[in-house]
Amino acid sequence: EAGVAQSPRYKIIEKRQSVAFWCNPISGHATLYWYQQILGQGPKLLIQFQNNGVVDDSQLPKDRFSAERLKGVDSTLKIQPAKLEDSAVYLCASSPNVAGTEAFFGQGTRLTVV
Amino acid sequence: GQQVMQIPQYQHVQEGEDFTTYCNSSTTLSNIQWYKQRPGGHPVFLIQLVKSGEVKKQKRLTFQFGEAKKNSSLHITATQTTDVGTYFCAGPEKGSNYQLIWGAGTKLIIKP
C-alpha cells in the first residue's frame, strides 16, 4: 500500500514570496490533515478535511495560508506571502473514514524562509 | 479548549535503562494514540488505546490508558539505540470533528 506522498521535500524562499505544497493521501482515506511542526515542538493542526469539505481550520492563519482538496483526494497548501516565522516542516497526514483514528503521515516539506 | 500535557520534555538514559513518558489531558479522551518521530523523520503511529484502564504491550513498550481516560503513559524497558526519537501522545477532542490534540512530545536521548 502506497503511503502519503508529499512534494517538494525541501523549499527555500525569501520572505514575502509565495509557496505551495502538495499532498496525495493514502487511497480511500477520507480525512486529510495539514500540520505545521516547528523544530522541537509537536505537530500543530492547520486544517482538517473530510472528503473535500473543511471540518476544522480554526488554527489556519487565513490572511496568508489557504488550502484546498479538490475532488476529495489530493490537496494543496499555499502560503502567500511567507514570513520568517513560517519556517517549519509541513506535514500532511490522512486517516481512514472516521476522523480521530490513527493518522498516517507523509515525509513532510521542510520550508525555510530567509 | 482541550489541552494535552506531556512530561518530561527530555529524558537522558543510559542504554539498557528504562524510559517513561506521561500524558495528561484536561478533558476525557475518546482514545489515546502514541506516535514516534525519529530525528529528521515524520511521526509514525505506534498504537491506539480506547478502553478505560487498557494496557497494551509491543515487545519492550508498554502503553497504559488511565481509568478516567484522561491520562496515559508509555514505558520502554531496557532502551536500545533504535528507541531514540521523540514520542508524542495525541487524543481526539470530544465534540465536533474529533481533532487530534497533540502533546509536545518527550525526546528520548541515549547517553554515549
Side-chain angles (χ1 to χ4, degrees):
Chain A
E1 179 184 77
V4 176
Q6 285 189 251
S7 67
R9 288 293 312 278
Y10 306 93
K11 190 74 177 179
I12 301 174
I13 61 172
E14 294 182 351
K15 59 184 179 184
R16 292 187 289 274
Q17 285 189 323
S18 303
V19 65
F21 312 126
W22 174 82
C23 172
N24 191 16
I26 293 172
S27 177
H29 280 195
T31 304
L32 185 147
Y33 312 84
W34 281 103
Y35 286 92
Q36 180 193 59
Q37 187 173 28
I38 293 172
L39 188 65
Q41 298 182 17
K44 171 190 166 185
L45 181 70
L46 294 175
I47 190 166
Q48 177 179 330
F49 292 94
Q50 188 78 10
N51 297 309
N52 61 345
V54 175
V55 294
D56 192 314
D57 63 357
S58 57
Q59 297 191 87
L60 187 73
K62 299 181 185 64
D63 57 333
R64 298 184 300 107
F65 286 64
S66 64
E68 59 181 11
R69 190 184 184 194
L70 299 176
K71 301 180 182 178
V73 182
D74 55 353
S75 177
T76 56
L77 175 70
K78 296 179 182 178
I79 307 174
Q80 180 180 12
K83 293 185 176 181
L84 296 176
E85 58 261 36
D86 298 331
S87 295
V89 175
Y90 291 84
L91 294 161
C92 179
S94 68
S95 291
N97 290 333
V98 178
T101 54
E102 62 182 276
F104 296 84
F105 283 83
Q107 292 189 311
T109 297
R110 183 175 298 276
L111 173 67
T112 302
V113 182
V114 298
Chain B
Q2 181 192 10
Q3 289 188 332
V4 174
M5 305 299 293
Q6 194 173 351
I7 57 170
Q9 188 176 4
Y10 302 95
Q11 191 166 4
H12 294 77
V13 300
Q14 298 278 5
E15 188 173 4
E17 291 182 336
D18 292 355
F19 162 86
T20 305
T21 172
Y22 300 91
C23 190
N24 289 286
S25 171
S26 57
T27 59
T28 303
L29 301 169
S30 301
N31 66 65
I32 189 83
Q33 299 169 30
W34 285 93
Y35 293 80
K36 177 183 178 181
Q37 186 171 23
R38 293 182 185 272
H42 58 279
V44 174
F45 175 81
L46 293 176
I47 205 162
Q48 176 174 291
L49 305 173
V50 179
K51 299 177 183 176
S52 170
E54 189 170 12
V55 178
K56 286 188 176 180
K57 291 192 175 185
Q58 289 179 350
K59 297 182 180 178
R60 294 178 294 104
L61 278 61
T62 301
F63 304 85
Q64 295 187 338
F65 199 11
E67 293 290 340
K69 298 181 75 172
K70 295 177 74 172
N71 56 71
S72 182
S73 66
L74 159 59
H75 180 82
I76 303 177
T77 304
T79 54
Q80 300 175 359
T81 55
T82 52
D83 297 325
V84 163
T86 301
Y87 292 84
F88 293 97
C89 62
E93 182 174 19
K94 277 199 165 182
S96 63
N97 308 324
Y98 282 87
Q99 178 192 135
L100 277 179
I101 308 298
W102 290 71
T106 296
K107 190 171 185 178
L108 169 58
I109 300 163
I110 304 283
K111 296 176 188 176

